[in-house]
C-alpha cells in the first residue's frame, strides 16, 4: 500500500504543481522517439553528429598539419599505413589530416547553403502563400523559371561572376536550392491559412506578421525540417562536383571535392587518394538522405495517426 | 496532336529569347573578355581582332547584331577554336551528347522500372528494403566516385573496357553507366511509389479475382497505369542528364557539349556559351513536349487540346 503511494508521489515531484504533460507527447520528443525506431535513420543521425564533430575538431587543431609536407621519396604517395592511416599525397601530406580538415569546408558549405535556402525560400514562399491570388501566381512563375535553368550552368556562370572562393560557391548553391523550400512553404501556407485556428487568431485581431510567425510557420516546421535535411547533401554533392571538374574551390582551399579532384590525377597508380575523400562525401550524403527519409516518416501525420490507433 | 506541337513550337520562341537575353547579359557582365589571355599582343592587333568580331561596339548593338544572326540560324564563330564556326563545333559535339544521354536514360528506365516494381510487389520484405537502400545509395554517390570506381575496376584492374574517349560502342559503356546511376535511382523510387498506389485500386482486385495471375496483373494492368508519373519525370530527368553529362564528359574525356561548355566559359568564348545555353533550353522544351505527347498514349483520359 505505502509503496504505491511512494510510487505515485515519486511520479509527481513537488505535488502542489499542476500535472505536467506526460513525457514524449510534444512534437520534438515524439518525433525523436519515432525516429529512434527507424534504425537506419537513427544510425545516420549519429554519423552526421560524428561528421560535424570532426569538422569542429579541425578548428581545435589536427594532430598532423594538413599542409605539413615531407618530400622524401618514401613519404610521398605512400599507401595507407600505421603512420598515415589513409596514406599520403604527392607532396607527402597526410591524407587523413587533409580529409578531417576538408570536412570543415564541405560541412560548412552544406549547412550554410541549407540555411540560406531556408531563409530566402521561406520568405519567398511565405509571401506567395500568405498573399495568394495574383501575387502568388507571379511569384510562382519566378520559381518555374529558376527551375528551368540547368543547375550546373547557373553555378558555373555565378562562379565566374562572383569569384570562385567560398563566397561564390555559397551564392551559387543558394541560388539553385531555394526553390524547393519556397514551393513547400507556399503549399503549407495555402493549406493552413483557412484552418480554423488561423481564422480564430485572425478574428482576435492578430496582424499578418503575428499570424505568420506565431501560427503558420510553427505549424509548417516539420516539412521544412525534412526539406532542410535534403538540401544539405545536395549542396555537398554540388560543391564537390564543381570542385572536381575544376570550376569550384581550388587549392590551397581544401574540401572533400578538391581532395577528390587532386586524387583523380593519380587514379591509375594511387586510387586511395580519390577513394577516401569520396567515401567521406558518400557517407555524409547517404546519412543525410537516410535521416531525411526517416524524419519524413517520423513526422508524417498519416503514420502518426496509425501509431496512435 | 499537330496543334499541340505547333503551339509548343511557337511558345519555344519567346522562351528561347528570354534564355538568350539572360545568358547574354550574364556573359557580358562577367569580367574578362575572350582575348585577355593572349600573351603580349600589341594593342593594335587586339583592337583589330575585336573590331572583326564587333566586340568594339556598344553592348546594346552587339546584342541586336547577335539576335539578327541568331534569327538567320547563324550561331557565330568560336574565338578559341580558330577557323571553326559554332554551328560546325556543335554539329560534332551535339550528337555525342545526345547519344550518351539517350543510352543513360535507356539504362535508367530499363533498370529502374523493374527495381521499383519488384520493391513495391515485395513491400516491407527484404527485397524491398534492398532495392530502396540501393536507390538511396544511388542518389548519394557522387558521379566522380562511380566513374572512378568503374574506371578502376573495369578499365585498369580487369582491363575489360576503354576508360576514355569516344570511338567505338565499347567506349560508350562506362560513361553511359556512370551517367545512368542517379536517374536510375530516381526512376526506381518513383516507380515503387506509383505501383504501390495503383495496386490498391479496385480494378486491380477485380483483375486478380477474375483469375488473372499476379504476374499478368502486375505487367498488364498495374504497370501501364503506374507509368504516368514515371514518364512525367523524364522531362526533369533530361535536365539531370544534361547537368550530369558535364561531369561524366569531363571524367571520360568525351567530346560532347558539356566539355565544350566548360571550356567556353573559362575562355569567355561568348558565342559558344550562348549557343550551348540555347541548345540546353531547347532540349528541355522538346523533352517536355515529348513527355506531354507520351501521356496521351499511356492515359487516354488526359486530353491535350485544352
Amino acid at each position: 500500500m505505502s509503496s504505491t503511494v511512494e510510487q505515485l508521489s515519486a511520479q509527481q515531484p513537488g505535488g502542489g504543481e499542476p500535472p505536467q504533460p506526460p513525457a514524449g507527447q510534444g512534437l520534438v520528443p515524439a518525433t525523436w522517439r519515432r525516429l529512434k525506431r527507424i534504425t537506419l535513420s537513427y544510425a545516420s543521425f549519429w554519423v552526421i553528429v560524428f561528421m560535424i564533430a570532426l569538422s569542429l575538431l579541425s578548428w581545435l587543431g589536427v594532430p598532423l598539419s594538413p599542409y605539413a609536407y615531407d618530400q622524401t621519396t618514401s613519404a610521398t604517395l605512400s599507401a595507407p599505413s600505421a603512420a598515415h592511416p589513409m596514406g599520403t599525397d604527392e607532396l607527402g601530406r597526410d591524407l587523413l589530416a587533409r580529409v578531417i580538415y576538408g570536412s570543415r569546408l564541405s560541412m560548412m558549405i552544406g549547412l550554410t547553403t541549407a540555411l540560406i535556402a531556408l531563409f530566402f525560400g521561406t520568405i519567398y514562399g511565405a509571401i506567395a502563400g500568405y498573399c495568394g491570388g495574383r501575387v502568388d501566381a507571379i511569384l510562382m512563375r519566378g520559381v518555374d523559371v529558376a527551375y528551368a535553368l540547368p543547375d550546373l550552368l547557373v553555378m558555373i556562370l555565378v562562379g565566374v561572376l562572383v569569384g570562385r572562393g567560398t563566397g561564390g560557391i555559397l551564392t551559387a548553391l543558394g541560388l539553385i536550392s531555394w526553390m524547393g523550400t519556397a514551393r513547400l512553404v507556399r503549399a503549407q501556407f495555402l493549406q493552413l491559412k483557412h484552418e480554423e485556428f488561423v481564422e480564430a487568431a485572425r478574428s482576435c485581431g492578430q496582424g499578418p506578421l503575428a499570424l505568420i510567425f506565431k501560427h503558420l510557420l510553427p505549424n509548417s516546421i516539420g516539412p521544412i525540417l525534412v526539406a532542410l535535411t535534403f538540401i544539405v547533401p545536395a549542396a555537398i554533392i554540388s560543391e564537390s562536383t564543381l570542385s572536381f571538374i575544376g570550376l569550384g574551390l581550388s587549392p590551397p582551399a581544401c574540401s572533400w571535392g578538391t581532395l577528390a579532384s587532386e586524387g583523380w590525377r593519380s587514379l591509375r597508380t594511387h586510387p586511395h587518394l580519390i577513394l577516401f575523400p569520396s567515401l567521406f562525401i558518400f557517407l555524409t550524403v547517404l546519412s543525410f538522405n537516410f535521416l531525411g527519409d526517416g524524419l519524413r516518416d517520423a513526422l508524417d501525420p498519416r503514420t502518426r495517426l496509425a501509431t496512435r490507433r | 496532336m499537330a496543334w499541340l506541337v505547333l503551339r509548343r513550337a511557337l511558345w519555344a520562341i519567346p522562351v528561347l529569347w528570354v534564355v538568350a537575353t539572360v545568358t547574354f547579359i550574364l556573359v557580358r557582365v562577367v569580367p574578362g573578355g575572350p582575348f585577355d589571355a593572349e600573351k603580349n599582343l600589341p594593342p593594335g592587333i587586339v583592337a583589330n581582332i575585336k573590331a572583326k568580331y564587333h566586340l568594339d561596339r556598344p553592348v546594346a548593338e552587339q546584342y541586336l547584331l547577335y539576335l539578327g544572326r541568331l534569327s538567320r540560324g547563324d550561331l557565330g564563330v568560336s574565338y578559341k577554336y580558330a577557323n571553326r564556326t559554332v554551328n560546325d563545333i556543335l554539329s560534332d559535339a551535339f550528337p555525342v551528347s545526345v547519344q550518351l544521354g539517350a543510352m543513360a536514360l535507356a539504362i535508367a528506365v530499363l533498370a529502374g522500372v523493374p527495381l521499383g516494381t519488384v520493391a513495391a510487389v515485395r513491400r516491407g520484405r527484404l527485397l524491398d528494403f534492398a532495392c530502396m537502400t540501393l536507390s538511396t545509395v544511388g542518389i548519394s554517390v557522387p558521379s566522380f566516385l562511380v566513374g572512378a570506381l568503374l574506371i578502376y575496376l573495369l578499365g585498369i584492374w580487369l582491363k575489360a573496357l576503354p576508360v576514355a574517349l569516344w570511338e567505338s560502342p565499347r567506349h560508350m559503356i562506362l560513361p553511359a553507366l556512370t551517367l545512368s546511376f542517379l536517374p536510375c535511382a530516381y526512376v526506381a523510387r518513383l516507380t515503387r511509389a506509383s505501383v504501390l498506389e495503383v495496386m490498391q485500386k479496385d480494378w486491380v482486385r477485380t483483375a486478380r479475382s477474375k483469375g488473372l495471375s499476379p504476374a499478368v496483373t502486375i505487367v498488364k494492368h498495374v504497370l501501364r497505369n503506374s507509368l504516368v508519373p514515371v514518364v512525367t519525370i523524364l522531362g526533369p530527368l533530361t535536365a539531370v542528364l544534361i547537368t550530369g553529362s558535364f561531369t561524366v564528359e569531363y571524367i571520360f574525356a568525351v567530346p560532347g557539349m558539356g566539355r565544350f561548355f566548360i571550356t567556353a566559359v573559362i575562355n569567355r568564348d561568348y558565342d559558344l556559351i550562348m549557343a550551348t545555353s540555347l541548345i540546353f533550353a531547347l532540349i528541355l522544351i522538346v523533352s517536355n513536349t515529348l513527355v506531354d505527347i507520351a501521356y496521351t498514349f499511356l492515359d487516354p483520359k488526359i486530353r491535350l487540346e485544352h
Side-chain angles (χ1 to χ4, degrees):
Chain A
M1 216 24 205
S2 64
S3 68
T4 323
V5 172
E6 270 170 27
Q7 273 175 8
L8 275 176
S9 59
Q11 275 173 359
Q12 288 188 337
E17 286 174 17
Q20 299 287 316
Q25 289 292 305
L27 181 70
V28 175
T31 307
W32 176 245
R33 208 154 27 83
R34 258 178 261 118
L35 188 67
K36 265 187 178 176
R37 267 185 241 140
I38 310 170
T39 323
L40 259 179
S41 308
Y42 188 59
S44 300
F45 173 80
W46 287 108
V47 173
I48 292 167
V49 170
F50 173 75
M51 290 295 176
I52 294 177
L54 204 64
S55 63
L56 292 179
L57 183 86
S58 77
W59 290 101
L60 293 175
V62 183
L64 264 169
S65 164
Y67 292 113
Y69 55 87
D70 178 0
Q71 282 200 322
T72 47
T73 14
S74 59
T76 57
L77 287 169
S78 66
S81 63
H84 302 288
M86 291 186 186
T88 55
D89 70 0
E90 59 207 7
L91 295 177
R93 295 176 294 195
D94 180 61
L95 190 61
L96 176 62
R98 289 178 70 70
V99 166
I100 293 177
Y101 194 75
S103 72
R104 181 194 292 188
L105 260 184
S106 292
M107 294 300 285
M108 190 273 281
I109 286 174
L111 295 172
T112 315
T113 302
L115 291 180
I116 294 175
L118 184 74
F119 184 74
F120 291 105
T122 304
I123 292 179
Y124 197 95
I127 295 173
Y130 187 82
C131 297
R134 188 172 292 171
V135 176
D136 176 42
I138 294 172
L139 287 179
M140 283 303 114
R141 289 297 79 70
V143 170
D144 288 345
V145 170
Y147 258 123
L149 296 166
D151 289 354
L152 215 67
L153 200 142
V154 175
M155 281 161 49
I156 291 171
L157 286 176
V158 171
V160 176
L161 198 65
V162 184
R164 277 164 47 191
T166 319
I169 294 275
L170 284 177
T171 314
L173 289 177
L175 272 176
I176 61 163
S177 340
W178 61 274
M179 294 91 77
T181 320
R183 273 196 178 161
L184 187 93
V185 172
R186 166 191 176 260
Q188 284 284 320
F189 273 34
L190 282 181
Q191 193 191 345
L192 286 174
K193 73 177 177 184
H194 298 301
E195 296 273 326
E196 279 165 4
F197 70 93
V198 181
E199 293 289 329
R202 196 197 307 272
S203 61
C204 287
Q206 294 201 343
L209 282 182
L211 280 180
I212 288 177
F213 284 106
K214 283 172 80 174
H215 298 283
L216 293 170
L217 262 188
N219 280 289
S220 317
I221 207 76
I224 295 178
L225 206 63
V226 174
L228 197 71
T229 44
F230 286 119
I231 296 176
V232 180
I236 292 179
I237 289 251
S238 297
E239 181 275 319
S240 57
T241 305
L242 210 56
S243 300
F244 182 79
I245 58 178
L247 289 167
L249 300 169
S250 46
C254 174
S255 75
W256 290 337
T258 63
L259 288 176
S261 174
E262 285 167 26
W264 168 249
R265 278 179 266 139
S266 40
L267 171 71
R268 191 173 283 273
T269 47
H270 302 90
H272 67 273
L273 284 180
I274 186 169
L275 187 66
F276 286 116
S278 307
L279 276 182
F280 269 73
I281 298 170
F282 170 61
L283 204 62
T284 311
V285 170
L286 187 69
S287 304
F288 271 107
N289 282 330
F290 274 136
L291 179 68
D293 279 347
L295 212 53
R296 183 167 48 200
D297 289 348
L299 283 163
D300 190 275
R302 273 171 298 177
T303 46
R304 218 158 130 189
L305 279 179
T307 42
R308 227 179 250 168
R309 241 184 261 137
Chain B
M1 186 72 72
W3 177 232
L4 168 91
V5 173
L6 187 71
R7 229 174 37 145
R8 288 300 178 87
L10 285 178
W11 253 112
I13 294 170
V15 172
L16 288 178
W17 173 72
V18 170
V19 171
T21 309
V22 170
T23 319
F24 189 90
I25 295 170
L26 270 176
V27 169
R28 305 288 155 143
V29 168
V30 167
F35 302 107
D36 289 358
E38 308 285 348
K39 272 184 250 164
N40 305 325
L41 281 180
I45 291 182
V46 173
N48 275 341
I49 296 176
K50 284 195 171 166
K52 183 180 175 228
Y53 296 123
H54 306 297
L55 290 174
D56 53 344
R57 313 282 181 85
V59 174
E61 197 187 333
Q62 289 183 33
Y63 174 67
L64 291 178
L65 278 173
Y66 184 79
L67 285 189
R69 274 192 284 127
L70 195 62
S71 63
R72 277 177 270 122
D74 176 9
L75 293 167
V77 290
S78 164
Y79 305 139
K80 285 294 159 180
Y81 300 92
N83 297 323
R84 292 193 74 184
T85 64
V86 172
N87 297 48
D88 185 24
I89 292 177
L90 289 186
S91 64
D92 282 349
F94 187 62
V96 172
S97 281
V98 169
Q99 211 176 356
L100 175 61
M103 283 171 72
L105 197 62
I107 298 174
V109 171
L110 290 180
V113 170
L115 267 179
T117 313
V118 165
V121 172
R122 310 287 295 173
R123 182 186 193 178
R125 311 281 185 81
L126 191 66
L127 205 57
D128 176 24
F129 183 73
C131 287
M132 282 309 100
T133 307
L134 201 68
S135 90
T136 307
V137 167
I139 59 170
S140 306
V141 59
S143 55
F144 54 81
L145 179 58
V146 181
L149 284 176
L150 286 178
I151 287 180
Y152 197 76
L153 292 179
L154 293 171
I156 298 175
W157 196 45
L158 294 175
K159 297 197 184 349
L161 289 166
V163 298
L165 300 179
W166 193 256
E167 283 158 3
S168 68
R170 288 180 68 236
H171 285 81
M172 302 173 186
I173 298 174
L174 289 186
L177 271 180
T178 310
L179 189 55
S180 71
F181 229 70
L182 182 72
C184 180
Y186 276 128
V187 169
R189 293 187 139 213
L190 201 70
T191 307
R192 176 178 180 271
S194 177
V195 167
L196 277 181
E197 201 182 309
V198 173
M199 269 166 52
Q200 280 161 12
K201 300 274 192 216
D202 288 341
W203 43 262
V204 174
R205 199 181 319 133
T206 311
R208 287 283 292 122
S209 57
K210 77 176 184 185
L212 282 185
S213 72
V216 173
T217 316
I218 292 291
V219 173
K220 282 191 126 173
H221 293 262
V222 176
L223 212 51
R224 174 168 172 171
N225 287 285
S226 320
L227 283 183
V228 171
V230 177
V231 170
T232 312
I233 61 154
L234 290 187
L237 269 190
T238 315
V240 171
L241 284 175
I242 290 173
T243 309
S245 74
F246 282 65
T247 327
V248 172
E249 286 177 15
Y250 174 87
I251 294 176
F252 293 98
V254 175
M257 301 269 296
R259 230 168 49 119
F260 274 109
F261 183 74
I262 294 175
T263 43
V265 171
I266 292 172
N267 291 332
R268 307 284 189 279
D269 206 337
Y270 291 151
D271 285 357
L272 196 50
I273 304 176
M274 297 288 302
T276 327
S277 308
L278 284 174
I279 296 228
F280 286 150
L282 194 63
I283 294 174
L284 286 182
I285 294 169
V286 170
S287 65
N288 280 328
T289 310
L290 288 179
V291 164
D292 283 352
I293 294 173
Y295 283 158
T296 43
F297 290 108
L298 283 169
D299 187 350
K301 275 187 291 184
I302 301 175
R303 289 269 169 268
L304 291 169
E305 274 71 32
H306 320 296

